[in-house]
Amino acid sequence: MAAAGKISVASRDVLALRLLVALVIFGAWEAMSRSGLFYGEVVPSLLKIGASLMKLLVDPIFYRNLQVTTVETILALAIGAGAGITTGIALGANRFLMRAFEPYVYYLSPTPRIILFPVMIMWFGVGPASKIALGALSAFFAIALSTAAGMRQIDPVLIRVGRSFRANIWQMAMKIYLPAMRVPILNGIRLGMGTAIITVLLGETKLSNQGLGYLIMQVYTRFDMPGLYALLIMIFVIAGAVNALIGHFARD
Amino acid sequence: MASNMNQSAEAALVIDDVVKRFGRGQEIVTAVDHVSFSVKQGEFVSVIGPSGCGKSTLFNIIGGLLGDYEGAVKIGDERISAPHPAVGMVFQEESTFPWRTVIDNVAFPLELQGVAKSERIDRAHHFIDMVGLASFEKAFPSQLSGGMKQRVSIARTLVSQPKILLMDEPFAALDEQTRLLLGDKITQIQQQLNQTTLLITHNLTEAVQLSDRIVVMTYRPGRVKRIVNIDLPRPRTSDVVGSDAFGHYVAEIWNDLREEASRGMADSESAASRRAAHG
Ligand SMILES: Nc1ncnc2c1ncn2[C@@H]1O[C@H](COP(=O)(O)OP(=O)(O)OP(=O)(O)O)[C@@H](O)[C@H]1O
Ligand SMILES: [Mg+2]
């Protein structure tokens, strides 16, 4: 009982601190906005941002572009995860393959995928396909790496159990490897989703005709700063919610 | 030593001059050294020996999980180098699937065989009941004790009804009473199904209680020191543990075993003092 009480007091303190930080940031922001030190609307008042946010939430154009970006990200993630999990299992299961391919995966994974954007545009055009391809590529590395790492931490006796019951390759993958690696795979998907969203949005801001990234650039060229911030807030909220959702499944 | 000569036609499992070495060069360890014996159809044989004498290594070779060895393990005319459909294994390590409930753990081999769900559940239920875990079917392994998890693994292997049952110290995590009772259950099934069973153990009571023959191994390198016939009447239950004949067998085998066990102890003590001297 005492311990439970302590924990809830502690989490109340954490919550209070979090709220305080938010208030300080908001206060500082508002102070900056009113100080007149910044050119034009670079730091718009919170009230204006709030108003833009409301407008955005009822704007069909926002939802249309949100849908485009969502579909692009989901497809990118699905392709990246499918290829990443398969590659990760193959690398983790086979020491020879791992030794041969590890350097490629490790050295290629930190290079920014956006430099391949021009190539993707040439291959797949300016529409969603080029963003999907780029997003899939970036998700692929994160997911393949964490799947391969997850393979190596499986309790080896479980694999011997599967072999002793003469499970075939497919059964080994579906009934032993995948469930044993649920947590690392979901963590990989979470990382992959993060990079997929970033890459898709980045691609959209560079060259596209639809999507949230495209919308950001439109708002930006109109120099509608409150609108821009409202859009960014929405993206933060959506990405945060999806992240929390995957995190929930990744827990043991 | 002589008993490995009579590899009769009824032998279900023949272990013929098996050698297994680990490592290479200076670091080479001979885990199993020219081991030969055979197990007849329906016979219960135990392999007993001190820790580190190569019992698990032999177990993995017979199970087809260590394909790279010298000599031959044969089932029928087939030399084993991969898991054989007639063989079921119970591992020394904790080996339940943590993401499956008890019933789904036990039904696992049936799932691999494509048995329909309702039949799977029925058959799994039967064996869970037998190992005394009926009220834990929906529990996950994390909610069970070590001994209970080991009973789940035993049920999981029994459900596949292997013609040849291999067990590597399956009762090590159990208390004495549970061990005796579960031993009775295993004997019962073994007699009913006329199952050929090879039990790896370092528990002498358990070996004498359950076996028709006991293969006593030497401490490293693991060789066959002696094979003892246990002529206690069947059907046999754990009551036999109190009898004079039982005590006689235990004393006799303990004589051999003590020699090997003390060699093992001396070995690890000298290794420890070597380490201490170096450190
Ligand atoms: N994969 C391996 N690589 C190198 N050495 C090994 C390997 N497996 C076993 N050994 C060695 O072989 C010897 C026998 O090991 P094994 O596990 O078969 O013993 P055991 O009789 O089962 O012991 P215990 O009763 O403690 O389970 C040990 O010296 C061990 O260090
Ligand atoms: Mg062992």
Side-chain angles (χ1 to χ4, degrees):
Chain A
M1 285 306 247
K6 233 183 252 164
I7 286 167
S8 71
V9 167
S11 64
R12 197 175 341 123
D13 291 349
V14 169
L15 216 64
L17 184 59
R18 249 182 231 164
L19 218 63
L20 190 70
V21 169
L23 283 177
V24 168
I25 291 175
F26 286 154
W29 180 279
E30 196 63 26
M32 275 182 355
S33 152
R34 297 194 180 190
S35 68
L37 288 175
F38 297 91
Y39 171 75
E41 288 272 286
V42 173
V43 185
S45 138
L46 290 175
L47 283 176
K48 281 189 182 165
I49 296 178
S52 285
L53 198 55
M54 291 302 138
K55 228 167 42 200
L56 192 65
L57 284 176
V58 294
D59 188 353
I61 293 176
F62 168 68
Y63 290 102
R64 194 165 353 105
N65 287 294
L66 172 63
Q67 193 194 340
V68 170
T69 302
T70 309
V71 170
E72 283 171 355
T73 308
I74 289 175
L75 286 176
L77 193 58
I79 297 168
I85 291 172
T86 315
T87 309
I89 290 185
L91 289 186
N94 189 318
R95 229 174 294 164
F96 170 71
L97 282 182
M98 189 70 186
R99 291 245 320 263
F101 285 98
E102 205 167 24
Y104 292 122
V105 179
Y106 276 100
Y107 292 126
L108 282 180
S109 69
T111 54
R113 250 71 58 186
I114 197 70
I115 60 170
L116 291 175
F117 190 54
V119 181
M120 294 297 149
I121 295 281
M122 284 197 300
W123 286 1
F124 299 105
V126 290
S130 55
K131 282 85 198 171
I132 295 170
L134 204 60
L137 201 63
S138 63
F140 167 81
F141 284 99
I143 296 171
L145 281 178
S146 63
T147 305
M151 281 289 284
R152 269 170 278 158
Q153 51 145 62
I154 297 180
D155 188 351
V157 76
L158 299 182
I159 293 165
R160 287 197 289 149
V161 169
R163 285 180 58 206
S164 81
F165 288 122
R166 303 184 340 123
N168 58 37
I169 288 183
W170 177 247
Q171 290 170 326
M172 288 297 286
M174 298 311 285
K175 293 184 193 292
I176 294 180
Y177 287 118
L178 286 183
M181 295 192 297
R182 195 190 53 141
V183 172
I185 286 181
L186 283 177
N187 278 329
I189 288 180
R190 188 151 63 150
L191 289 175
M193 189 197 66
T195 61
I197 291 180
I198 292 169
T199 320
V200 164
L201 284 174
L202 214 53
E204 284 174 354
T205 61
K206 294 282 173 222
L207 186 59
S208 68
N209 43 26
Q210 49 193 328
L212 287 184
Y214 168 74
L215 199 57
I216 288 177
M217 290 322 280
Q218 287 238 305
V219 173
Y220 171 72
T221 32
R222 284 206 308 269
F223 215 69
D224 173 8
M225 280 309 178
L228 183 60
Y229 287 115
L231 209 49
L232 292 184
I233 290 173
M234 280 316 293
I235 292 175
F236 283 142
V237 169
I238 294 168
V242 177
N243 208 358
L245 197 71
I246 298 185
H248 177 76
F249 287 112
R251 234 177 297 149
D252 246 330
Chain B
M1 285 285 182
S3 62
N4 61 49
M5 294 296 120
N6 54 21
Q7 288 167 2
S8 53
E10 52 179 344
L13 177 66
V14 176
I15 289 117
D16 185 16
D17 205 28
V18 168
V19 177
K20 176 70 197 177
R21 296 191 181 89
F22 288 111
R24 53 180 61 152
Q26 297 288 79
E27 300 288 294
I28 215 154
V29 175
T30 306
V32 178
D33 194 14
H34 299 281
V35 167
S36 300
F37 63 90
S38 60
V39 186
K40 294 199 250 329
Q41 162 63 39
E43 193 181 24
F44 197 121
V45 171
S46 290
V47 174
I48 194 166
S51 182
C53 75
K55 301 185 298 294
S56 293
T57 306
L58 186 63
F59 167 84
N60 283 314
I61 291 172
I62 299 171
L65 298 178
L66 264 181
D68 179 25
Y69 66 95
E70 295 160 44
V73 171
K74 280 189 178 162
I75 294 174
D77 290 332
E78 205 176 329
R79 182 183 186 270
I80 297 302
S81 58
H84 190 278
V87 174
M89 305 173 81
V90 179
F91 293 89
Q92 178 174 13
E93 300 93 336
E94 208 283 282
S95 68
T96 52
F97 299 117
W99 58 87
R100 284 175 174 251
T101 59
V102 167
I103 186 122
D104 287 340
N105 256 290
V106 174
F108 177 76
L110 304 177
E111 216 175 290
L112 295 187
Q113 293 163 17
V115 174
K117 177 148 192 180
S118 61
E119 190 190 337
R120 221 152 68 198
I121 299 294
D122 281 352
R123 282 167 63 182
H125 181 81
H126 173 77
F127 285 95
I128 292 171
D129 210 22
M130 211 193 67
V131 297
L133 290 175
S135 51
F136 290 92
E137 285 192 341
K138 294 278 176 295
F140 283 92
S142 58
Q143 300 165 280
L144 306 179
S145 73
M148 288 157 92
K149 282 186 241 186
Q150 199 58 13
R151 282 187 271 163
V152 174
S153 312
I154 294 171
R156 182 178 60 193
T157 301
L158 289 177
V159 83
S160 64
Q161 303 197 313
K163 290 200 183 65
I164 300 174
L165 177 62
L166 299 180
M167 297 189 282
D168 191 359
E169 302 188 23
F171 309 126
L174 302 179
D175 59 84
E176 194 63 26
Q177 303 85 284
T178 316
R179 189 210 309 266
L180 288 174
L181 293 178
L182 199 57
D184 282 347
K185 295 273 172 84
I186 299 267
T187 320
Q188 244 173 46
I189 312 176
Q190 192 253 337
Q191 297 286 311
Q192 267 167 25
L193 301 177
N194 194 25
Q195 200 165 39
T196 307
T197 307
L198 186 69
L199 171 73
I200 309 269
T201 179
H202 48 219
N203 185 306
L204 189 47
T205 321
E206 174 181 302
V208 179
Q209 177 200 344
L210 300 172
S211 313
D212 298 310
R213 276 189 306 146
I214 298 180
V215 178
V216 183
M217 303 268 292
T218 63
Y219 181 69
R220 278 193 303 202
R223 297 199 187 98
V224 175
K225 184 173 177 101
R226 204 153 83 91
I227 297 180
V228 183
N229 286 307
I230 306 296
D231 292 319
L232 294 170
R234 290 215 186 257
R236 201 189 289 172
T237 68
S238 47
D239 294 343
V240 75
V241 169
S243 73
D244 284 350
F246 186 89
H248 169 78
Y249 281 119
V250 170
E252 183 188 334
I253 299 169
W254 172 236
N255 257 332
D256 287 315
L257 218 48
R258 184 171 45 197
E259 244 175 71
E260 298 309 320
S262 37
R263 275 181 55 211
M265 296 267 287
D267 196 30
S268 43
E269 267 166 25
S270 68
S273 61
R274 264 201 309 280
R275 266 196 305 278
H278 279 293

